[in-house]
């Protein structure tokens, strides 16, 4: 078979006196029968190409699925009447949410569900029943499309209701349901919602976000149980297209926090959870270039009043500092009411603060890794903080889900790329850790692998860290092939997460390398700022520098280095594919953002306006010039020099429109016909998401496909 040929039609963009031909602009109509037929032809061509890889794909799938336990569960989080956890049973593809009833414990208050990612390991004296009550079986929520994803699962304060939302296509439009847990029936339905949600203290109202036609979450609405969705009331509406809204219930249960945030600026409002019909009040106003996030502390025992606020902000502190502030009970307030509690440390990135009755927990990034730091409730009282780090090689330690403000212990979650999750309880007074639950992976031995960190110098002299993963029998002597993975945008970090697919690559003698490049958050806020806007080229230089450094140091075979990345990491792949095609034996660009200038000119494209502060606004000539300099579709590599390329996309992807990878693939093939059979486009024409298939089996089956394409191009010679 020959690859599909996309029609070329004359169309020219003209901005700033520059003409940009765009012969595939017709693909912007994603609903046109012609475009849908073209995508179907691309998928058929890809599927046909898989035939000669079927045996390898099948072997890889079997290996990867064998590392998934038949049954698995998470650590529990405790509430007044029940303890909750998620589980997989009998080899299920999707998780179940369950709870176990325990004896009434008068030492624990009724604690509302929180949307924050923190957990409670405080078991106290309450016992649990042997029978688990099934609340939600995710595998039954699909509509036959083969895809299902949960947005939220939030239990009401009285533990009689569950708010949950489901996306069955991959477009991140979630159907919100309110389930009566006493009867097991869904009683209220809202057809369009987004991430985020919060219950009122009396469990009578639920607050949620909705997005507009550009997929921007722009409004928080209030729903009263039993009312039709048409009666829901807007609580906060954000008119600025650069901002997105979100919300959560504080762990203290006293307030619903609503915030609106752009890439550089934010504002937060306090709404009394006991007065859901009230008016939200601003915590610190809105100042251009200042972002902040808020947490609530109840008043200390024996004291009256609404308590106080803890605020993490970058105001006059690039890497963040911790502030204290009063609660805006009856009126808005500005930042003049704030006071500093913990000053900025330029060598540490302060990410968030979580408040408990007896302590506060800071989440930081320091030395390229995460740290949890426990401080006494009265910060600055002379008590030394307790620091907690991952106990796994290359691992990440974070707070797990918690709903108990009064907890004496928290639960922490420790995980690495090569080690399944371990949950431990940590005493908030002493920092002493005790293991609660350890996940296992059948057939997998973490001790068979090595993880190390090295740095390689970028062209401007900046050392760029990289994490190197390998089988302990694979030497770093220049004989092994390598895959380098990168992202490098939004200050995001692909934190170490156990991947049951990865050992199948390492077992075949491949070295896997995560590049911690500028534009990401591995080195803090300053590291991010040095890889965005007019400094975006640093992201690409850093990724190439790691690959070049691996080869120059004789660590891997420089002729067999592949590169991989997704979304903004797909932009990275498009840029390094165009700038250094000689460096790679293969390139994997997943849902790549590769039509940068055209997309950023189109304010009607989902997320465009919110992205101007990340990439630049091409309506400004200076921004247009720096974006055009790396835009992959404008900077194709010379014909005859291109390595094999696998591109992915999804018709319903709301983050990177499917036209972007489709246009790029068409342009690449048209400009190098002899190479065109080496370019594949794996497009999801039905249900499918930005990050790939749903379900734990769907994930490893997808990875098996990817590895089956990648391995023959790496030509590994060792099987451990």
């Amino acid at each position: 078979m020959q690859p599909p040929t996309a029609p070329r039609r004359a169309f020219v963009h003209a901005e700033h006196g520059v003409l940009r031909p765009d012969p595939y602009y017709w693909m912007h109509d994603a609903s046109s029968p012609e475009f849908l037929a073209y995508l179907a032809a691309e998928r058929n061509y890809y599927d046909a190409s898989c035939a000669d890889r079927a045996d390898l794909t099948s072997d890889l799938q079997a290996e990867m699925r064998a590392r998934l336990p038949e049954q698995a569960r998470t650590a529990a989080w405790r509430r007044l009447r029940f303890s909750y956890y998620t589980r997989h049973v009998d080899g299920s593809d999707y998780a179940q949410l369950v709870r176990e009833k325990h004896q009434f414990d008068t030492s624990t208050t009724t604690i509302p569900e929180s949307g924050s990612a923190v957990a409670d390991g405080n078991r106290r004296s309450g016992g649990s029943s042997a029978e688990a009550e099934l609340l939600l079986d995710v595998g039954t929520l699909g509509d036959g499309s083969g895809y299902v994803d949960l947005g939220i699962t939030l239990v009401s304060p009285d533990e009689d209701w569950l708010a949950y939302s489901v996306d069955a296509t991959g477009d991140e439009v979630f159907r919100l349901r309110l389930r009566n847990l006493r009867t097991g029936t869904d009683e209220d339905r809202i057809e369009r919602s987004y991430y985020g949600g919060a219950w009122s203290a009396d469990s009578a109202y639920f607050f949620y976000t909705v997005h507009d036609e550009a997929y921007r979450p722009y409004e928080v609405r209030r729903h009263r149980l039993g009312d039709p969705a048409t009666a829901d009331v807007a609580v906060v509406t954000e008119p600025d297209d650069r901002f997105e809204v979100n919300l959560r219930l504080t762990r203290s249960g006293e307030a619903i926090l609503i915030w609106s945030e752009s890439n550089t600026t934010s504002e937060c409002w306090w709404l009394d959870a006991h007065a859901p019909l009230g008016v939200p009040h601003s915590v610190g106003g809105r100042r251009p270039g200042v972002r902040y996030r808020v947490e609530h502390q109840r008043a200390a025992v024996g004291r009256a009043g609404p308590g106080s606020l803890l605020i993490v902000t970058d105001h006059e502190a690039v890497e963040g500092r911790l502030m204290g502030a009063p609660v805006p009970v009856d009126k808005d307030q500005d930042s003049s009411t704030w006071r500093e509690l913990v000053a900025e440390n330029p060598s540490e990135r302060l990410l968030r603060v979580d408040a408990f009755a007896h302590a506060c927990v800071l989440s930081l990034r320091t030395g390229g890794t995460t740290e949890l730091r426990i401080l006494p409730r009265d910060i600055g009282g002379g008590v030394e903080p307790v620091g907690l780090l991952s106990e796994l090689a290359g691992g990440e330690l974070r707070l797990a889900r918690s709903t108990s403000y009064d907890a004496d212990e928290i639960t922490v979650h420790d995980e690495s790329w090569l080690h399944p999750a371990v949950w431990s309880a940590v005493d908030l007074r002493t920092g002493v850790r005790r293991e609660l639950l350890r996940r296992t992976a059948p057939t997998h031995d973490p001790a068979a692998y090595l993880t190390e960190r090295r740095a390689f110098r970028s062209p401007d002299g900046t050392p760029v860290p990289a994490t190197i993963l390998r089988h302990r029998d694979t030497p770093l002597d220049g004989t092994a092939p390598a895959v380098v993975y990168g992202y490098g945008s939004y200050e995001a970090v692909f934190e170490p997460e156990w991947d049951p697919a990865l050992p199948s690559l390492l077992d075949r003698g491949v070295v896997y390398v995560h590049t911690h490049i500028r534009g990401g958050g591995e080195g803090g806020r300053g590291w991010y700022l040095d890889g965005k806007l007019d400094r975006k080229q640093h992201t690409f230089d850093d990724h190439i520098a790691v690959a070049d450094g691996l080869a120059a140091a004789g660590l891997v075979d420089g002729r067999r280095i592949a590169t991989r990345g997704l979304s903004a990491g797909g932009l990275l792949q498009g840029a390094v594919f165009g700038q250094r095609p000689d460096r790679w034996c293969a390139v994997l660009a997943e849902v790549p953002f590769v039509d940068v200038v055209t997309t950023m000119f189109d304010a009607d494209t989902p997320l465009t306006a919110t992205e101007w502060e990340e990439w630049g606004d091409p309506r400004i000539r200076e921004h247009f010039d720096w974006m055009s300099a790396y835009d992959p579709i404008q900077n194709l590599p010379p014909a005859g020099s291109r390595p094999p390329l696998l591109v992915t996309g999804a018709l319903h992807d709301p983050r990177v429109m499917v036209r972007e990878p489709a246009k790029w693939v068409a342009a690449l093939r048209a400009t190098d016909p002899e190479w065109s059979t080496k370019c594949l486009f794996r497009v999801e024409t039905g249900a499918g998401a930005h990050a790939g298939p749903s379900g734990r089996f769907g994930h490893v089956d997808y990875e098996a496909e990817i590895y089956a394409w990648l391995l023959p191009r790496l030509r590994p010679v060792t099987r451990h």
Side-chain angles (χ1 to χ4, degrees):
M1 293 181 63
Q2 291 297 309
T5 300
R8 294 169 59 87
R9 294 181 183 140
F11 187 92
V12 178
H13 301 279
E15 305 101 358
H16 306 295
V18 177
L19 301 181
R20 292 189 300 116
D22 190 350
Y24 304 107
Y25 189 78
W26 62 271
M27 294 184 181
H28 283 235
D29 182 1
S31 64
S32 76
E34 184 179 22
F35 184 47
L36 295 175
Y38 171 71
L39 294 181
E42 285 286 4
R43 183 58 192 239
N44 289 338
Y45 180 69
Y46 169 80
D47 288 342
S49 78
C50 293
D52 62 353
R53 304 190 297 274
D55 289 345
L56 177 56
T57 301
S58 180
D59 290 345
L60 290 165
Q61 286 178 344
E63 292 174 18
M64 296 171 184
R65 287 189 173 220
R67 298 186 190 102
L68 298 173
E70 285 293 306
Q71 299 185 5
R73 57 162 290 174
T74 64
W77 57 96
R78 181 183 175 86
R79 300 282 292 278
L80 176 63
R81 294 160 50 204
F82 298 89
S83 288
Y84 299 78
Y85 58 92
T86 62
R87 70 184 183 190
H88 283 87
V89 296
D90 300 326
S92 57
D93 200 7
Y94 295 96
Q96 297 177 341
L97 174 64
V98 299
R99 67 183 182 183
E100 296 179 2
K101 191 171 184 178
H102 47 71
Q103 298 171 2
F104 188 80
D105 182 354
T106 56
S107 62
T108 304
T109 58
T110 301
I111 305 300
E113 177 67 282
S114 169
S116 60
V118 181
D120 170 25
N122 180 16
R123 300 297 297 179
R124 300 201 186 224
S125 60
S128 64
S129 66
E131 196 70 26
E133 177 188 358
L134 176 62
L135 303 183
L136 193 67
D137 187 345
V138 179
T140 66
L141 301 178
D143 58 4
S145 67
Y147 181 88
V148 60
D149 185 36
L150 281 181
I152 60 171
T153 52
L154 297 172
V155 176
S156 61
D158 62 11
E159 300 185 74
D160 285 340
W161 292 86
L162 171 69
Y164 73 95
S165 60
V166 181
D167 167 19
T169 64
D171 63 0
E172 298 183 55
V173 176
F174 292 91
R175 302 191 307 268
L176 176 62
R177 303 290 183 257
L178 302 180
R179 176 167 292 184
N180 186 327
L181 296 180
R182 292 189 179 273
T183 64
T185 58
D186 294 339
E187 298 193 5
D188 290 23
R189 299 168 180 262
I190 297 165
E191 295 308 313
R192 186 180 179 95
S193 70
Y194 203 56
Y195 302 102
W199 287 96
S200 62
D202 62 3
S203 303
Y205 294 88
F206 188 74
F207 295 76
Y208 62 97
T209 62
V210 293
H211 42 14
D212 57 22
E213 294 306 313
Y215 289 84
R216 178 180 71 94
Y218 76 102
E219 191 166 77
V220 172
R221 294 180 184 172
R222 181 182 66 236
H223 174 81
R224 185 172 70 175
L225 283 177
D227 283 357
T230 54
D232 292 354
V233 176
V235 178
V236 169
T237 301
E238 176 53 71
D240 193 324
D241 288 343
R242 298 171 302 165
F243 287 73
E244 299 182 351
V245 297
N246 208 336
L247 76 159
R248 69 178 179 90
L249 185 64
T250 60
R251 185 175 297 100
S252 67
E254 301 301 319
I256 295 167
L257 294 176
I258 302 169
W259 65 94
S260 183
E261 190 169 73
S262 76
N263 186 277
T264 63
T265 305
S266 66
E267 181 174 10
C268 182
W269 295 268
W270 164 283
L271 175 63
D272 189 341
H274 299 277
L277 302 182
V279 176
H281 295 298
S282 183
V283 169
R286 185 177 303 192
R287 291 168 290 164
V290 175
R291 300 206 309 175
Y292 61 97
R293 291 285 180 90
V294 179
E295 175 67 306
H296 177 243
Q297 283 184 313
R298 289 180 187 162
V301 176
R303 297 182 182 177
S308 59
L309 301 178
L310 298 173
I311 301 170
V312 173
T313 181
D314 60 1
H315 177 54
E316 298 181 348
V318 171
E319 301 299 339
R321 57 176 172 159
L322 184 65
M323 312 289 282
V327 171
V329 176
D330 52 11
K331 62 180 179 180
D332 293 342
Q333 66 186 24
D334 60 31
S335 61
S336 64
T337 62
W338 299 3
R339 68 189 190 284
E340 185 175 271
L341 299 176
V342 177
E344 177 192 20
N345 182 339
S347 65
E348 297 178 343
R349 173 68 165 124
L350 177 57
L351 300 171
R352 61 180 287 166
V353 60
D354 287 274
F356 297 87
H358 310 298
C360 301
V361 180
L362 303 183
S363 296
L364 308 104
R365 181 164 292 281
T366 177
T369 189
T370 55
E371 178 183 345
L372 299 178
R373 193 170 295 165
I374 302 173
L375 283 69
R377 174 191 166 87
D378 297 322
I379 298 171
V383 178
E384 285 296 315
V386 176
L388 303 170
L389 298 170
S390 173
E391 295 180 341
L392 305 174
E396 182 235 0
L397 184 73
R398 59 179 170 83
L399 290 168
R401 190 171 186 167
S402 173
T403 54
S404 180
Y405 181 83
D406 299 326
D408 297 321
E409 294 178 327
I410 56 172
T411 300
V412 298
H413 175 280
D414 203 359
E415 190 171 15
S416 78
W417 285 297
L418 293 169
H419 198 294
V422 179
W423 287 267
S424 300
V426 176
D427 189 300
L428 281 171
R429 291 184 172 88
T430 65
V432 173
R433 194 183 312 193
R434 60 183 177 86
E435 188 173 306
L436 294 173
L437 177 65
R438 178 178 293 263
R439 271 193 178 164
T440 59
T443 77
H444 174 69
D445 177 13
Y449 306 91
L450 299 174
T451 302
E452 61 182 282
R453 180 74 65 94
R454 299 205 185 196
F456 304 90
R457 202 162 294 279
S458 203
D460 67 353
T462 301
V464 181
T467 298
I468 301 174
L469 312 172
R470 60 188 170 103
H471 194 283
R472 63 169 54 254
D473 293 334
T474 299
L476 290 178
D477 62 359
T479 61
V483 176
V484 293
Y485 189 99
Y487 188 76
S489 295
Y490 301 107
E491 199 184 349
V493 178
F494 275 38
E495 299 290 7
E497 181 178 341
W498 158 241
D499 182 357
L502 183 57
S504 290
L505 207 60
L506 305 186
D507 290 350
R508 287 169 170 79
V510 178
V511 176
Y512 203 81
V513 182
H514 283 263
T515 63
H516 307 307
I517 51 185
R518 281 174 285 183
E522 292 91 338
R525 185 76 175 173
W527 189 252
Y528 160 62
L529 296 174
D530 202 21
K532 66 176 292 192
L533 297 175
D534 59 330
R535 299 182 178 185
K536 191 60 195 171
Q537 183 60 39
H538 287 165
T539 301
F540 316 134
D541 289 344
D542 289 358
H543 191 73
I544 294 169
V546 171
D548 285 344
L550 288 164
L555 301 176
V556 303
D557 184 347
R559 299 164 299 176
R560 293 186 293 156
I561 300 177
T563 179
R564 180 180 185 182
L566 180 146
S567 192
L571 163 63
L572 169 66
Q573 305 315 306
V576 302
F577 179 81
Q579 295 176 18
R580 282 291 306 278
D582 62 302
R583 174 70 279 164
W584 320 109
C585 71
V587 175
L588 173 55
E590 296 168 280
V591 290
F593 172 44
V594 284
D595 194 11
V596 178
V597 173
T598 300
T599 293
M600 298 309 293
F601 262 118
D602 185 2
D604 293 331
T605 294
L607 307 180
T608 290
T610 62
E611 302 281 277
W612 283 330
E613 293 177 327
E614 176 72 22
W615 310 106
D617 183 348
R619 297 172 301 181
I620 301 170
R621 178 58 193 259
E622 180 186 11
H623 296 201
F624 173 84
D625 288 342
W626 79 53
M627 296 164 74
S628 296
Y630 66 75
D631 187 350
I633 208 164
Q634 296 187 64
N635 295 276
L636 305 179
S641 66
R642 301 173 183 178
L645 173 67
L646 174 58
V647 181
T648 72
L651 178 61
H652 295 290
D653 185 352
R655 296 180 179 271
V656 175
M657 301 294 97
V658 71
R659 66 179 183 245
E660 296 211 28
K663 290 173 67 176
W664 188 49
V665 165
L668 285 165
R669 289 211 189 110
T671 54
D672 195 346
E674 292 186 8
W675 166 86
S676 63
T677 57
K678 297 181 180 179
C679 177
L680 295 176
F681 183 23
R682 184 193 187 280
V683 58
E684 295 284 3
T685 56
H690 183 67
S694 63
R696 57 176 186 160
F697 297 136
H699 165 71
V700 296
D701 289 351
Y702 169 79
E703 289 296 299
E705 271 188 52
I706 296 300
Y707 286 178
W709 176 84
L710 195 56
L711 281 165
R713 287 148 185 84
L714 292 168
R715 304 185 308 281
V717 296
T718 303
R719 176 70 182 270
H720 301 303

